[in-house]
Amino acid sequence: MADDEMILLDYWVSVFGMRVRIALAEKEIKYESREEDLLGNKSDLLLKMNPIYKKIPVLIHNGKPVCESLIIVQYIDEIWNDRSPLLPSDPYQRAQARFWADFVDKKVAPRPGVLWGKGEEQEAARNEFLETFKILEGELGDKPYFGGETFGFVDISLVTFACWFHAFETFGKFSMKAEFPKITEWAKRCMQRESVAKSLQDPQKVDEFVVEYRKRLGLE
C-alpha cells in the first residue's frame, strides 16, 4: 500500500483530528494534511466527502472518504493490520475498548459548557466533567494505559484532550493534577510517545484559541 493516496481533512486544534494523526503516526503512514477553515467557509472537498455531517476529520483513502474519528482509527487499524495493533485481538477486550472510547465521545467530548458557558450552565458542565473523569480515573486504575501494558484505542480516544486540560482548568477552576493524579501521569506517559507528542497541539496555543473563541461568543 505504499502507493496509496492518503488525504486527511483536518483542523489544527481538533481533538478528533488529533486522534487520526496519532493513529497514522503509530502505523507510520504517510499522508497529506489539508487544513479546513471550520470558523469560516468549509471547502467544497469537505462538503463532497462528508455531505451528511460536513465535519472533520475525513480520511480520503484513494478517493474514498472515511468519516468520524473513532471509525477512522478503527479503519486504519484494520487496513494496516500488519503493523502495531491499536485494538486488542481478543473479542471481549476489543469490545471493552470500543465501549470506553464511545464513553469518551459521549461524556468528555460534548462538554463545551466548561469553556464556552457561564453561570449555572458552566457550573453544571464543570460538575459533569469532573464526574466523568472520576469514572475514567477509576477505570485506568494503576495500569500504565487503559488497555493494560500497551498504548491503544482508548488512549488515542482520550489523550487528545490532554492539550486542552489547561484550558479546562483555567475556566473550570480546578486542578487536573489534584483531582485526577492517575490521569495526569497517564497523559505524561502518553506524551512520551512520538506519535502523540507530534500530533497534539501546544496547550498555550489551545488557550489562545479558547480565549479568542470566547471573544467571538461575547464572553470576554
Side-chain angles (χ1 to χ4, degrees):
M1 297 185 183
D3 296 328
D4 284 14
E5 181 186 46
M6 306 289 292
I7 299 172
L8 176 61
L9 305 185
D10 200 358
Y11 186 61
W12 70 277
V13 80
S14 168
V15 295
F16 307 108
M18 290 181 219
R19 289 172 172 174
V20 181
R21 288 175 234 163
I22 293 172
L24 290 167
E26 283 286 327
K27 298 284 188 174
E28 299 182 338
I29 300 167
K30 294 181 179 180
Y31 64 98
E32 175 189 347
S33 180
R34 295 192 187 178
E35 186 78 0
E36 288 290 328
D37 179 12
L38 296 191
L39 301 181
N41 296 320
K42 298 180 180 180
S43 72
D44 291 339
L45 182 60
L46 174 60
L47 298 178
K48 177 182 178 181
M49 291 295 164
N50 191 357
I52 305 300
Y53 293 120
K54 304 176 177 63
K55 294 179 180 179
I56 58 93
V58 179
L59 182 67
I60 306 172
H61 184 192
N62 292 332
K64 297 179 180 179
V66 184
C67 305
E68 297 294 294
S69 63
L70 293 182
I71 293 174
I72 298 172
V73 172
Q74 292 177 78
Y75 175 83
I76 290 169
D77 197 38
E78 291 170 3
I79 294 295
W80 287 273
N81 58 12
D82 58 331
R83 307 178 190 183
S84 300
L86 303 177
L87 279 146
S89 58
D90 178 77
Y92 178 77
Q93 292 178 356
R94 191 162 59 244
Q96 289 300 300
R98 286 171 172 155
F99 171 87
W100 285 107
D102 183 65
F103 177 85
V104 171
D105 255 11
K106 289 177 177 175
K107 295 294 186 178
V108 180
R111 290 288 169 263
V114 179
L115 301 173
W116 325 126
K118 56 183 179 180
E120 292 182 1
E121 177 193 1
Q122 186 178 39
E123 183 64 19
R126 174 187 179 277
N127 291 339
E128 290 178 10
F129 182 94
L130 294 175
E131 185 60 35
T132 294
F133 270 85
K134 285 179 184 177
I135 295 172
L136 289 168
E137 178 100 342
E139 172 60 21
L140 177 62
D142 295 324
K143 302 189 298 290
Y145 301 104
F146 277 92
E149 298 296 322
T150 307
F151 178 83
F153 189 56
V154 182
D155 304 295
I156 292 174
S157 74
L158 182 61
V159 75
T160 57
F161 291 89
C163 59
W164 286 76
F165 282 173
H166 187 262
F168 281 117
E169 290 176 313
T170 300
F171 295 100
K173 295 181 174 57
F174 63 87
S175 165
M176 288 292 297
K177 185 176 182 179
E179 297 282 350
F180 313 110
K182 293 180 180 179
I183 290 287
T184 301
E185 289 304 311
W186 161 84
K188 291 179 181 178
R189 191 175 303 116
C190 291
M191 283 296 293
Q192 293 174 0
R193 301 183 71 84
E194 183 181 359
S195 64
V196 177
K198 74 178 187 179
S199 299
L200 267 60
Q201 290 296 329
D202 182 342
Q204 183 176 345
K205 291 183 178 180
V206 175
D207 288 355
E208 292 170 358
F209 170 83
V210 171
V211 170
E212 184 60 32
Y213 195 70
R214 283 174 62 86
K215 288 179 181 177
R216 289 189 179 213
L217 296 175
L219 298 174
E220 294 288 336

